[in-house]
Amino acid sequence: MMSIASEQRETPLYEIEGLVIDLYTEQKTIRAVDGCSLAIRAGETLAIVGESGSGKTVMTLGPLGLLPEGITVRMRGKANTVSGDMLAVNLRRRASVRGNDFGVVFQDPLSALNPMRRIGPQLAEQARRFAGLSADEARADAIANLRRVGIADPEDRYWRYPNEFSGGMRQRAMIALALASRPKILLADEPTTALDATVQAQILSLLKRIQAEDDLAIILITHDIGVVAGMADRVVVMYAGRIVEQGAVADVLKEPVHPYTQGLLSSVPDLETPIGERLAEIPGVPPDLSRLEAGCRFAPRCFAAKPSCNLTRPVLAPVSSGPATHTVACFVMQGKRQEVTR
Ligand SMILES: Nc1ncnc2c1ncn2[C@@H]1O[C@H](COP(=O)(O)OP(=O)(O)O)[C@@H](O)[C@H]1O
Ligand SMILES: [Mg+2]
């Protein structure tokens, strides 16, 4: 029998179920997220990979109400958070589930930090708002958080502006800002893509340390397979708004099953893959997301596609010879892993 503590660990901190997100532009409606479900537990790192435009950002930021202003968004599905609130059973309007549960780290620190304001007060304000601290407590908290993310002389740096920080330091400051609300989940959307390799490795090890200290769950969007191998427990592969494969990193990297995943990983050997190894390019272009077709969206680019792949939508199901936790949405590969060689 599971102990209460381990049962609690098994309960997802956050889950989305059947999430559909449509974006309304002037010309057309884009189904950016098309029926996606995922769950994340305390202490776990979930990586999300997929080509640019596959819906990683919209899927993760959408339910938090963090998509850019000026675009009309319609959402359906469920998004449950830590507190057990069904934050938007029917996410018709932009729901803000951000609150205390999520800290968000972006590629560009200036999308989180106001360049016109000193760093420290921004952190302190976040701690007052979300963690309910007094002004004095919030200042002390901000200084402690700056120190915690590896910023030397935080009492002085507290009064600096973002442009007085190096790129790596700004990234650290944004992580401190994300931590100010005492999140249980850190959502990091390509957090190190813009950084050079050395700084990138430092930021990743910082995230790991904080994760261990706070039992944080991390949702990590990345183009870097070395980062997936080094950081993540599980990986979700997105294509054209859908999850096409997901499972333990060891399983998916060792034996990618979906032809799309195989293509992305084709240049990539194993768990030892160093940071900086990017996903491979796959010939062809992604489909037009404003057209909803019945079948598998990857079929036109797929080496294994059959005519029937265009008729019905494949759903995630366990791979026949793999662990039940490794699922793939592909008619050809489900149960036929042995027959097709890479
Ligand atoms: N602000 C926006 N306006 C119009 N379309 C958008 C906007 N943001 C995202 N999209 C579209 O939604 C789809 C998913 O985008 P996104 O989630 O940003 O992809 P990813 O993060 O995987 O690169 C893409 O087709 C993209 O063009
Ligand atoms: Mg993105």
Side-chain angles (χ1 to χ4, degrees):
M1 245 181 60
M2 283 199 295
S3 68
I4 290 172
S6 73
E7 246 175 71
Q8 278 172 348
R9 288 194 66 81
E10 290 307 308
T11 309
L13 285 179
Y14 176 62
E15 55 186 329
I16 60 175
E17 214 184 299
L19 186 68
V20 176
I21 303 182
D22 289 330
L23 306 178
Y24 293 75
T25 69
E26 273 175 23
Q27 300 81 21
K28 53 190 180 180
T29 303
I30 295 167
R31 178 142 300 175
V33 178
D34 189 10
C36 291
S37 302
L38 55 81
I40 184 159
R41 293 167 182 78
E44 182 180 46
T45 300
L46 177 70
I48 303 178
V49 301
E51 287 167 298
S52 209
S54 56
K56 305 179 297 293
T57 295
V58 172
M59 176 173 79
T60 49
L61 294 187
L64 309 189
L66 291 176
L67 293 180
E69 298 292 328
I71 178 152
T72 307
V73 179
R74 294 263 155 73
M75 294 191 252
R76 280 188 285 125
K78 289 182 185 172
N80 299 337
T81 51
V82 187
S83 33
D85 297 343
M86 191 88 80
L87 274 142
V89 182
N90 200 342
L91 295 156
R92 230 180 265 110
R93 279 180 298 151
R94 301 215 297 186
S96 183
V97 303
R98 201 176 167 195
N100 295 14
D101 292 340
F102 279 89
V104 186
V105 177
F106 301 95
Q107 181 175 330
D108 173 13
L110 295 184
S111 54
L113 291 165
N114 182 343
M116 310 298 284
R117 293 185 56 206
R118 299 171 199 273
I119 299 255
Q122 298 190 51
L123 269 59
E125 186 184 293
Q126 189 83 346
R128 293 194 71 174
R129 245 173 75 202
F130 289 108
L133 303 187
S134 71
D136 285 349
E137 288 167 342
R139 191 177 323 114
D141 185 73
I143 290 169
N145 268 332
L146 287 171
R147 184 175 289 118
R148 190 175 176 210
V149 298
I151 290 178
D153 200 3
E155 288 87 356
D156 171 66
R157 295 275 168 52
Y158 183 96
W159 297 108
R160 303 285 168 181
Y161 288 91
N163 69 6
E164 298 179 76
F165 279 25
S166 69
M169 269 169 56
R170 274 205 290 268
Q171 209 67 7
R172 288 175 193 271
M174 175 167 50
I175 293 169
L177 182 69
L179 295 175
S181 63
R182 311 273 193 282
K184 301 192 173 60
I185 305 163
L186 204 64
L187 171 58
D189 191 349
E190 310 205 24
T192 60
T193 306
L195 303 171
D196 71 50
T198 317
V199 180
Q200 185 171 6
Q202 289 168 358
I203 298 291
L204 292 170
S205 75
L206 169 65
L207 289 176
K208 268 192 170 168
R209 174 166 61 77
I210 289 166
Q211 173 171 46
E213 288 168 1
D214 290 5
D215 204 19
L216 267 184
I218 298 183
I219 299 176
L220 180 64
I221 298 175
T222 179
H223 278 106
D224 189 321
I225 285 298
V227 171
V228 176
M231 295 284 293
D233 304 298
R234 287 191 301 124
V235 59
V236 159
V237 183
M238 280 192 88
Y239 182 73
R242 296 177 180 173
I243 294 172
V244 297
E245 179 162 4
Q246 63 91 36
V249 166
D251 295 326
V252 175
L253 291 196
K254 197 171 80 201
E255 235 167 325
V257 176
H258 198 287
Y260 176 64
T261 318
Q262 293 190 15
L264 285 180
L265 300 183
S266 59
S267 63
V268 178
D270 55 32
L271 286 174
E272 306 299 311
T273 305
I275 286 170
E277 188 73 57
R278 316 227 347 139
L279 297 168
E281 304 271 332
I282 300 174
V285 289
D288 179 352
L289 296 180
S290 64
R291 299 186 47 185
L292 300 173
E293 280 146 6
C296 172
R297 288 192 165 167
F298 188 61
R301 297 169 76 185
C302 180
F303 66 80
K306 298 175 173 175
S308 57
C309 292
N310 294 310
L311 300 179
T312 34
R313 171 179 178 165
V315 294
L316 287 169
V319 185
S320 69
S321 54
T325 50
H326 184 181
T327 57
V328 64
C330 172
F331 295 120
V332 179
M333 295 300 177
Q334 277 161 0
K336 287 200 167 188
R337 180 148 61 156
Q338 266 49 293
E339 285 176 32
V340 182
T341 46
R342 284 226 254 155

